[in-house]
Amino acid sequence: MIVRFALAACALVLSPIITSGAAHAQETEQPERLFLLGAGAYATTNPYATAKKKTQTGVLPLFVYQTDRLTADLSGLAVKAWGNEHFKLEGRVAPRFQLVDPKDTRDFAFLKRSTGVDVGGRFSGTAGPATLSVEYLRDVSSETKGQEVNLDLTLSAQPLEKLSVDVVAGVSWKDKKLATWLYGLSVKEAGLARAFEYGRTARAASGGVLVPSLGVQARYQVTDRLFVIAAGEVELFDKDITDSPLMAKDHAAGAFVSLVRRF
């Protein structure tokens, strides 16, 4: 599905590493540049009807390259347009791919879901342990032809010297085109009698969908350069989504664990 723990692992979970790395670079008068590389394993539930497997597993690479203005990681490319101690405005280019998609089902394997590319921007503000961010993304690859707005609140804590924990609560609005690509069946794909196309067929909602989520992310520093990262997230689907014949569950959950080294 689109469980964001994997796509956001570098952007959110690695942020404490980036901060400590930048501080270390300043202390030693090295260039403010950071490179991290690693890999991790994930497991995510399959919420689609007639899923071949209830749980999908796999391996993903993890990488981060960051300078003062540029961040490249698994979630895409972010370029800082403006920022100060508390606020930041970034331009974003993000891949859109799914860890689980309809091809992993028996009845809907004919649906084609290729990787797309979204562009947009993100504004974030930080006050103490809390970070609030709002992000807008729009497809430019003609894959989903949709758009979304993501609002996330992150609360950070460091219960131990080597352990950092983030709790992330969010809500995502996805327009009718993106909702159809993620949760529905278009008329072109399934025919009018079987279609569940947002904004077009009678059974589907016309104004897009809202998807709340809750996640936790943890980072443990094994050595000066080696880190263990773990994350988990659950997305909740309301009636606008579960009414779709493509959907069998009212949630999607996933977990991710990895080992990352700072170079």
Side-chain angles (χ1 to χ4, degrees), residues 113-191:
R113 299 291 186 262
S114 301
T115 300
V117 178
D118 295 343
V119 300
R122 180 171 59 205
F123 180 77
S124 57
T126 302
T131 298
L132 183 67
S133 68
V134 58
E135 178 183 55
Y136 170 77
L137 294 172
R138 186 183 185 92
D139 176 62
V140 294
S141 62
S142 296
E143 173 60 26
T144 72
K145 301 180 181 178
Q147 56 189 327
E148 71 176 331
V149 178
N150 300 312
L151 180 66
D152 292 299
L153 175 63
T154 303
L155 298 177
S156 301
Q158 190 168 359
L160 300 174
E161 181 181 357
K162 294 186 177 183
L163 177 65
S164 298
V165 178
D166 292 340
V167 176
V168 185
V171 61
S172 177
W173 172 80
K174 306 175 192 301
D175 76 350
K176 58 187 180 182
K177 292 181 179 179
L178 180 56
T180 299
W181 191 84
L182 290 170
Y183 313 117
L185 302 164
S186 71
V187 173
K188 184 178 179 180
E189 291 172 325

Side-chain angles (χ1 to χ4, degrees), residues 15 19 31 47 68 90 92 98 100 111 138 191 202 205 219 233:
S15 57
T19 302
D68 183 54
E90 300 169 290
R92 291 269 288 127
Q98 301 192 132
V100 178
L111 296 179
R138 186 183 185 92
R219 171 187 66 94
E233 186 185 60

Side-chain angles (χ1 to χ4, degrees), residues 8-25 34 36 64 66 71 73 88 126 129 131 154-168 216-221 223-224 226-231 260 262:
C10 291
L12 294 176
V13 182
L14 294 181
S15 57
I17 303 176
I18 293 170
T19 302
S20 63
H24 178 74
L34 183 67
L36 302 127
V64 166
Q66 186 188 60
T71 300
D73 56 39
K88 183 167 58 175
T126 302
T131 298
T154 303
L155 298 177
S156 301
Q158 190 168 359
L160 300 174
E161 181 181 357
K162 294 186 177 183
L163 177 65
S164 298
V165 178
D166 292 340
V167 176
V168 185
V216 60
Q217 309 162 353
R219 171 187 66 94
Y220 183 78
Q221 184 175 356
T223 68
D224 183 52
L226 196 63
F227 302 85
V228 174
I229 296 168
V260 177
R262 185 177 69 216

Side-chain angles (χ1 to χ4, degrees), residues 219-251:
R219 171 187 66 94
Y220 183 78
Q221 184 175 356
V222 180
T223 68
D224 183 52
R225 292 182 175 271
L226 196 63
F227 302 85
V228 174
I229 296 168
E233 186 185 60
V234 59
E235 292 179 320
L236 304 177
F237 307 137
D238 65 10
K239 190 172 182 292
D240 287 342
I241 295 175
T242 57
D243 277 351
S244 170
L246 182 61
M247 305 299 294
K249 297 183 178 180
D250 61 1
H251 69 279

